[in-house]
Structure formats: structure tokens, C-alpha cells
Amino acid sequence: MHGHGPLKIGGKELHSRLIVGTGKYPDFPTMQKALEASGTDMVTVAVRRVNLDRTQESLLDYIDLKRYTLLPNTAGCYSADEAIKYSRLAREVGMSNLVKLEVIGDQRTLFPDNEELLKATKILVKDGFIVMPYTNDDPIMAKKLEDAGAAAVMPLGAPIGSGLGIRNPHNIAIILQMIQVPIIVDAGVGTASDAAIAMELGADGVLMNTAIAGAKDPVKMAEAMRKAVEAGHLAYLAGRIPKKSYASASTTMEGMIE
């Protein structure tokens, strides 16, 4: 059941339900402090944008791999073949066999190309990868990705970097009902309340980058996001009261002296 028990992906148990990106920070030391403030166990790194040969300064120099699980991502890939190539490259240099799989279909909106995404998922699963595909908030595609062997499915809340929040909570709720693997809401979070809403829906976790890295104070925002994810998850477990059209008094008239 989503949201209950520890979050496990590919046999690895995560204590934090917040996954944090490593791009767009003002500098590497700020990124380092924000990761610590977020309480995250898993950080995602764009394979195409990192210096893998380590001959020059790299953001990998600022990530404690004893503390954080590395999640390579295929950001910037526009075909299944390209995404497969960079996933294999990341594994070959020892980054991880985990992959946040992105196959972008349009340069302006950065929406996923789900046809190519599904193709890449099938191939990488057969190749022994633990695949976490980033997809639209489409319940049918989410089910197809689960059937293809995805270890988790990552539907967007809104377009990448938009900060619009969870634009279609009903689709996220349907996805949560339809599939069994962990659901990580990815992309579109702008502030702490967006993260809390995703978790209140029953999502197993939230992944974000721009909302933290692009904030005026990334370290404070990272702490806010940590607390929001924890609060939203706790509220989901507690079970909210039903919504009503009319008022319902906190104190009844029964037993009161006139």
C-alpha cells in the first residue's frame, strides 16, 4: 500500500522520502549544504552534465557517496537510444545501476516522449538496470511502465522547472490506485505546500531540483521541503476528515445546560 512502511526501490531502503537534484545551484558548496539540510538519502545527477573522468573539478567531488545513494539521470536525452547510451555509460564508470530515465519529446515544454521512454525502459530492465522512468501524469502509461519492469514510476506534477505545483492531483490519485510500485512525484514543485500536497495524496516520495536550487535561499528551502514531505506523509497516514458542503460544529449541543 502506497505511503505505508519504508520506501524501498530496487531493494534499497530509503529513510527520507525526498529525492534531491544537483543542478542549477549558485555553487557546489551551496549545493552541499542544501543536500544536508534536505535530509535526503538519494541525489540525482545528470550524466550528460558531469565530468566523469574526474580530471577536473566535478560536482561528484561534493557528494559524499558514503552518505547518499547516487541516482544518475538521462536529462537532455531526446531518444531511447541516447538515454540507453548514457545509462550504460554511468554504470560503466561506476556511478550506479539505478537510473532516473528521462526521454524528452519537446525542447520547449520538456514533456516526456512516452513512446521512446517505454522502449528504453524495456531494454534497460533487460540489461539489469533499476529503472525509474519520468513520465506524464498518465495512468495508462504508468501501468505500461510498471508492466515493463520499472522499479518506480515518476509522474510529473507540472512541467520541469515550472514551479506550478501539482496541476492534476486526480490523475496522480488514479495512478496510485492503479499500480503497485512506488510513485515518486517528479517535476513542477515550487514551494513546500506543493510537496505536502503530493505526499497527502499518498505518493511514496517527491523528487525536486529547481524548487530548492532556484530559491533565494536554497538551504532554507531544502529544510522547508524536508519538513513539508514529512508533514504531508504524516497527514496521509493520519487520514484527513471528509470534506463537507456545510459546517460541522466542533462542540455539539448535547448535554449543554440552557
Side-chain angles (χ1 to χ4, degrees):
M1 189 175 184
H2 293 288
H4 292 264
L7 173 57
K8 294 181 180 179
I9 298 175
K12 186 168 187 64
E13 184 174 316
L14 301 177
H15 300 289
S16 171
R17 294 177 181 270
L18 175 59
I19 303 173
V20 180
T22 53
K24 303 182 181 180
Y25 287 91
D27 50 60
F28 290 147
T30 301
M31 177 200 76
Q32 212 172 30
K33 292 174 184 175
L35 293 181
E36 185 174 353
S38 74
T40 188
D41 296 323
M42 180 177 282
V43 298
T44 184
V45 174
V47 182
R48 293 186 58 143
R49 297 172 189 148
V50 69
N51 175 28
L52 295 176
D53 62 17
R54 310 295 288 274
T55 57
Q56 304 174 38
E57 185 180 50
S58 166
L59 70 84
L60 293 178
D61 298 326
Y62 291 84
I63 299 173
D64 183 356
L65 298 182
K66 293 179 181 177
R67 179 173 181 178
Y68 303 113
T69 296
L70 206 59
L71 175 61
N73 72 60
T74 59
C77 293
Y78 284 81
S79 70
D81 290 344
E82 194 177 15
I84 291 164
K85 170 188 168 183
Y86 280 99
S87 299
R88 288 173 174 165
L89 177 61
R91 185 166 68 177
E92 285 170 14
V93 299
M95 288 178 74
S96 181
N97 67 336
L98 281 161
V99 60
K100 177 195 168 187
L101 185 61
E102 294 185 35
V103 184
I104 300 302
D106 176 73
Q107 203 166 28
R108 183 166 173 243
T109 65
L110 300 181
F111 280 133
D113 181 333
N114 282 330
E115 185 177 0
E116 290 290 289
L117 180 69
L118 183 59
K119 175 183 172 184
T121 298
K122 290 177 179 178
I123 292 170
L124 289 172
V125 167
K126 287 181 181 178
D127 206 10
F129 283 87
I130 298 167
V131 184
M132 301 167 64
Y134 163 70
T135 183
N136 290 318
D137 55 354
D138 177 355
I140 305 304
M141 180 52 62
K143 181 60 179 168
K144 287 183 178 181
L145 290 166
E146 180 186 44
D147 291 344
V153 176
M154 310 180 82
L156 57 79
I160 292 172
S162 67
L164 290 171
I166 313 302
R167 304 313 299 162
N168 198 338
H170 304 292
N171 274 25
I172 301 294
I174 293 169
I175 290 170
L176 286 161
Q177 293 168 13
M178 285 185 63
I179 72 175
Q180 302 303 310
V181 297
I183 300 299
I184 311 294
V185 173
D186 181 8
V189 168
T191 190
S193 57
D194 300 330
I197 288 169
M199 296 306 297
E200 286 170 10
L201 288 168
D204 297 284
V206 180
L207 189 152
M208 65 185 72
N209 186 176
T210 308
I212 294 175
K216 291 180 181 178
D217 188 329
V219 180
K220 279 192 173 72
M221 186 60 82
E223 183 182 357
M225 291 301 187
R226 173 177 63 79
K227 293 177 178 178
V229 167
E230 291 171 356
H233 181 232
L234 190 59
Y236 170 72
L237 294 177
R240 65 159 293 141
I241 62 170
K243 295 181 180 180
K244 299 178 181 178
S245 298
Y246 297 94
S248 178
S250 298
T251 303
T252 66
M253 297 300 290
E254 185 179 345
M256 291 185 70
I257 300 173
E258 294 186 10

